[in-house]
Structures are given as C-alpha cells and as structure tokens.
Amino acid sequence: MQKFSALSLLRAGLTGHAGWQRQWRSPEPKSGYDVIIVGGGGHGLATAYYLASRYGVKNVAVLEKGWIGGGNTGRNTTIIRSNYLFDESAGIYEHALKLWEGLSQELNYNVMYSPRGVLMLAHNIHDVQSFKRHVHANRLNGIDNEWLSPEECKEFCPPLNVGGSMRYPILGGALQRRGGTARHDAVAWGYARAADALGVDIIENCEVTGIRRAPTGEVVGVDTTRGSINAKRIGVVAAGNTSTVMNMAGVRLPLESFPLQALVSEPVKPIFPCVVMSNTIHAYISQSDKGEMVIGAGTDVYTSYTQRGGLHIVNHTLDAICELVPAFRRLRMLRNWGGIVDVTPDRSPIVAKTPVSGLYVNCGWGTGGFKATPGSGEVFASTIAKDEPNKINAPFTIERFRDGAVIDEAAAAAVAH
Amino acid sequence: MLLINCPYCGPRPEAEFANGGQAHIARPADPMSLTDDEWAAYLYMRDNTKGLHHERWRHANGCGRFFNASRDTTTDVIKRTYRMGERPEAEHQGAKP
C-alpha cells in the first residue's frame, strides 16, 4: 500500500500525480476463503478490515453486487453521534464514536471526521423532558451530552429561527459536541484500501445468488454471479437486501425494508456550523465541506426496494427546514436520492450468530447505520472470529424478540432515528 | 406519491391512506398453545418480499376501511387492490400469499 503523507503528496506532485497506485486490487475470486463477507458497504468493509487487523483472519473476501460506495454508504447524510438512551445502544454507538476519533490515522486515509456538534432540537414539553432524560442517561454512561436553552441554541447555531413565529417553536436542544459528520465515500474507500493492503480480496460486481449448506446444516460456501466460492464462515451485511440473502439460507428475520431519502442543495458559503436534527418536525441538516446543505428526509410508509421515494416525504422535510432556518427558503435543491434501509421492530440492530452454523448477520441498522460503521465492523469481526458475540453486541440478537429483551430505541426517540 | 385504488371509493392519492403492513397474517386461533418462537414469528417475522407483495392499507382519510393491495416492491406498481376476505388472484400469488 502506497502510504499517504505530505511528503508522498509532494513527491507525486513533482511528477504530475501520475504515479499513484490503484487503492485496492480487483482480484478474481479464489476457490475458497476462511471468511466471506456478503456486502461491500462500510459495515462489511470495516468487518473485513478488523478481521484482518485485529483478529488475525486474513484469508477474507468481501463480495459486493455493485461497486464500493454505491449503496447506503454513499447515500446517507453522514451524521455521527452516540447519544442513545439505553445502555446497550450507548455501548455500541459509543464504541463506534471512539473508533471514529482515531480512524483517519488508523487507516492512513482522511475520512474527514468533523466533531462539529450535533444539536437535537426540542419543540414541545415532551421533547424537553425526553431529551433531558437522554442527557442524564448519557452522562451516566460517560457520553457527553448537554442541555441548551433556546438562546444557547441560537448562539451555537446562529441561522436558527428561535423567535416566536414558528408553529413548533424551539424550546431548547440537546448538544453532543463530539458528534458531527465524516465523508462517507472516504470511509468506504479508506476501509477498502486498508483491508486490501492486509490481503482481503474485495470483489465488486459479484452478486450472491445462493448460500450452500452441508447435509448437516452448516454453511459451506456461496453461489455468485462469478461462480461458486467456498467458505466455512459467512457474514451477511447486506442492509436493505438482508432478508433476500438470508432467505437463501432459510433464515427469516424481523426486518422490513423501506426507502429513505436525502437531498442536497446548491453549494453556498459556510453558514451552518453544526448538525441540527429535529425529530418532532422531522429534519436533519448539515453543511458539507463542498458547501451543499445535506438534508435527510423520512422513510416512506410502505416497504420497497426501489431506491427512490415519494416526493411528498421530501417536501415535508423541506417545510420543516424552511421554518427552522428561514434563510434557506431561496436555496435551490440539486439532487435527491433514496437508499433501502432494513428496519427492525425495536429500531435497534441485529449483530449476531444465526440458527445456521457458520452464518452470521449484521443488519437492522435502519435509518441510522452510518454513525456505527467502525464499531459495528469491529464487534462483528470479533463475533465471526471467535464464533461468539462480543460483550458489546451480545444484547443485539435475533432471539431478543422471542425473549422480550427488546432494546426499544423506537419508543425512546418516538421516531426513526 | 402512489395512486391507490380503494375498492370502495376508487383511485385516491397515497396521502389519504395508512399502510398496515404485510397482509394475510392470521392471528393464531389459540395463542396460549403457541411456543415462544411461534408467537415471536407471528408478531415480528415478515417476508419483506422483493417482488410481488401483498399488504394492507386503510383509507384513513376517506371511507376508513381496510383493504389489501398486491404491489411489486421493485417498481412500486400496484397490480390490484381487493377487499378484506378475498384472496390474491392466482396469477398474482407469490410463494406465500
């Protein structure tokens, strides 16, 4: 792997930047691997990277049906935070946030992690009480989160409208200063490059069409559009398509797939210093380093695999944004797209072993998976390498729905999160 | 926004409807005889079909009645809507109607 540094940049600059290598190889699939990861999104690539770097499993392939960065990893609104209510969620999201803090150095790739602060706005008495409860719960778990008055919100994010003219006025906000954004494609590319350097084969345009099992039940490999590949352990990290892939092994999951939309405006000069989220009137907004306002909308009400969604969903979010920040009323929107997210009944993920020996699943991140990318990959790698869950992901089983041990962030946040 | 043909009122915009999730999941006749796994399967496990999917809708801001729709989840095209108690048409029946 060609190391990136100021010196290597200078040296390449002297020769017209003609000497850069490909960031990862494009290998033909081998006949077999120790571990196959199905899905080359951020979570899958992170899993492969941590398998090779921390758990000594280097004979790994990542199979991606499209191209790296073409799925939800390149479609989200890049928000990072860990201020979840329940201890189990705090554990896994804070694990991820701690990895974000050193990720650029670890991968030798600038993922542009920017802890600019995530401000979650409260618009009614219930919000105020709920967010203050979150603040206290987070602090008990050692996670930074603080309550701001409306005036302090305005001071932290000057474009906000905290006057009395709003239908749902801003009554305060919960601020996690370590929260922020990262560049999502760089996360996928950085993990792919670092995993490739450790010997992981990243195989693009390779769709899994079947999961092969021995007569005794355990997995022995996969069928793909590029031939059959053997593996004793298979980790499925396929986001919205998880149900389809797991059906190939006869495993049913408590998942439904919905389109989730995002959009960006034309680029403008720096105006918006942080991430602002409003669950109640449903808006997420931040400004990218290119100057575009990055806006997240909600999911459609029906399941779908179309990677687009209804325009009225986006309009609803823009209504909210125009109320929150009146200065944005004249911004033009440039692009709008959708991704397919897999949602569990309690809105918490599943990172677990399955009833099939040798088959593992990492899914159900729903509308908020990007922030968890490093932590999710790290604990999933541990689970696959040791054939038992890590302490952090142990609560995130499939069986929690049978046992009533749900981690109900859906009720805690009152909306998708 | 989808245009949904309510079997009672005719075609109306999606905004008038509430989605009720996967159709034809019968509540077990004798819940007390079920194992925990069977009860969890009834409550939580879903087909999440990629292709022709049968789902419930309610005309919440209209006649208020439930009905079913057969929709292709790869295109969002609604092939047919039908009243409660009817089954999906033979040519529309997937592996699991």
Side-chain angles (χ1 to χ4, degrees):
Chain A
M1 182 174 85
Q2 216 172 7
K3 206 165 161 58
F4 292 142
S5 66
L7 192 65
S8 69
L9 186 65
L10 182 68
R11 198 181 297 131
L14 293 174
T15 54
H17 288 293
W20 295 110
Q21 294 171 354
R22 286 181 69 101
Q23 300 202 16
W24 57 89
R25 297 163 295 131
S26 180
E28 283 300 310
K30 291 194 279 191
S31 65
Y33 294 89
D34 292 342
V35 175
I36 284 177
I37 303 296
V38 180
H43 290 237
L45 293 165
T47 306
Y49 167 74
Y50 290 114
L51 272 170
S53 67
R54 295 200 179 181
Y55 298 100
V57 186
K58 302 204 173 183
N59 187 18
V60 178
V62 178
L63 308 183
E64 166 54 45
K65 74 169 177 176
W67 66 96
I68 299 302
N72 289 354
T73 300
R75 292 166 185 264
N76 57 69
T77 51
T78 80
I79 296 171
I80 294 169
R81 62 185 180 90
S82 65
N83 52 354
Y84 283 74
L85 181 65
F86 295 111
D87 294 351
E88 296 88 344
S89 315
I92 199 162
Y93 289 105
E94 180 64 11
H95 182 52
L97 188 52
K98 289 206 169 105
L99 289 168
W100 278 115
E101 287 170 341
L103 196 61
S104 292
Q105 287 74 22
E106 180 170 357
L107 299 179
N108 179 234
Y109 205 98
N110 187 4
V111 300
M112 298 164 76
Y113 166 58
S114 162
R116 60 183 69 180
V118 172
L119 179 61
M120 299 175 78
L121 298 176
H123 299 276
N124 53 44
I125 298 299
H126 173 77
D127 281 354
V128 172
Q129 292 170 341
S130 166
F131 287 1
K132 284 187 173 173
R133 183 182 174 208
H134 275 71
V135 168
H136 296 313
N138 291 153
R139 294 174 106 166
L140 286 172
N141 278 316
I143 294 169
D144 74 303
N145 199 1
E146 59 194 275
W147 177 255
L148 301 189
S149 68
E151 295 71 30
E152 288 167 328
C153 289
K154 177 82 178 169
E155 197 182 333
F156 190 73
C157 186
L160 285 180
N161 171 21
V162 297
S165 63
M166 281 177 74
R167 171 68 182 82
Y168 295 99
I170 295 169
L171 301 182
L175 172 65
Q176 184 176 28
R177 292 184 190 271
R178 289 156 67 235
T181 59
R183 181 164 179 211
H184 51 199
D185 336 71
V187 175
W189 298 334
Y191 271 121
R193 172 172 168 272
D196 177 86
L198 293 168
V200 172
D201 279 359
I202 292 161
I203 303 165
E204 295 172 83
N205 300 308
C206 180
E207 183 171 357
V208 170
T209 54
I211 293 177
R212 287 186 291 117
R213 296 171 64 182
T216 41
E218 73 270 21
V219 297
V220 293
V222 293
D223 296 322
T224 76
T225 49
R226 296 177 67 172
S228 293
I229 309 172
N230 298 324
K232 292 226 162 51
R233 292 183 182 186
I234 299 171
V236 175
V237 204
N241 285 297
T242 303
S243 297
T244 312
V245 176
M246 295 300 284
N247 272 343
M248 297 171 189
V251 177
R252 263 164 77 82
L253 290 170
L255 291 178
E256 291 191 294
S257 295
F258 295 92
L260 178 67
Q261 295 179 81
L263 63 164
V264 293
S265 74
E266 59 189 336
V268 290
K269 288 186 177 177
I271 176 172
F272 211 70
C274 61
V275 180
V276 166
M277 303 177 57
S278 171
N279 290 342
T280 299
I281 59 176
H282 214 107
Y284 311 98
I285 184 162
S286 65
Q287 189 168 22
S288 75
D289 292 334
K290 286 186 284 185
E292 302 155 328
M293 304 309 305
V294 182
I295 296 167
T299 61
D300 280 282
V301 298
Y302 49 83
T303 63
S304 177
Y305 289 86
T306 55
Q307 292 191 319
R308 56 177 187 260
L311 194 60
H312 60 293
I313 304 284
V314 168
N315 280 340
H316 177 68
T317 291
L318 292 176
D319 288 348
I321 300 255
C322 290
E323 283 273 283
L324 283 178
V325 189
F328 289 167
R329 286 178 189 214
R330 292 166 67 188
L331 269 185
R332 283 165 295 193
M333 294 299 140
L334 279 194
R335 297 188 305 281
N336 165 224
W337 62 91
I340 302 303
V341 298
D342 48 327
V343 176
T344 59
D346 63 358
R347 303 299 188 272
S348 287
I350 295 169
V351 187
K353 298 172 72 168
T354 70
V356 176
S357 177
L359 184 65
Y360 308 83
V361 70
N362 183 349
C363 65
W365 290 96
T367 58
F370 174 73
K371 66 175 78 70
T373 304
S376 155
E378 206 276 332
V379 296
F380 195 45
S382 163
T383 304
I384 294 173
K386 298 176 179 168
D387 192 33
E388 62 179 14
N390 180 304
K391 203 174 83 185
I392 293 172
N393 67 305
F396 295 94
T397 60
I398 305 171
E399 292 76 24
R400 72 174 186 266
F401 296 99
R402 176 196 66 196
D403 300 338
V406 294
I407 304 157
D408 204 350
E409 292 291 344
V415 291
H417 57 82
Chain B
M1 187 176 295
L2 303 177
L3 187 63
I4 300 174
N5 187 24
C6 172
Y8 306 98
C9 311
R12 300 293 171 88
E14 179 196 329
E16 292 188 13
F17 297 85
N19 184 281
Q22 187 179 335
H24 305 297
I25 299 175
R27 184 181 167 89
D30 182 12
M32 296 310 288
S33 69
L34 263 53
T35 64
D36 288 353
D37 276 318
E38 288 167 335
W39 186 245
Y42 161 68
L43 283 183
Y44 297 121
M45 301 296 170
R46 296 293 179 265
D47 290 341
N48 201 16
T49 310
K50 189 173 190 174
L52 196 71
H53 166 67
H54 309 292
E55 64 190 353
R56 299 184 302 173
W57 286 90
R58 192 168 81 86
H59 196 179
N61 297 312
C63 65
R65 299 175 83 168
F66 271 99
F67 59 93
N68 292 323
S70 300
R71 182 173 55 86
D72 186 336
T73 58
T74 62
T75 59
D76 290 341
V77 172
I78 296 174
K79 307 283 186 190
R80 179 175 171 255
T81 55
Y82 53 99
R83 298 180 182 206
M84 280 295 162
E86 295 174 15
R87 303 297 299 174
E89 279 179 359
E91 72 266 28
H92 289 156
Q93 284 189 358
K96 280 193 184 131

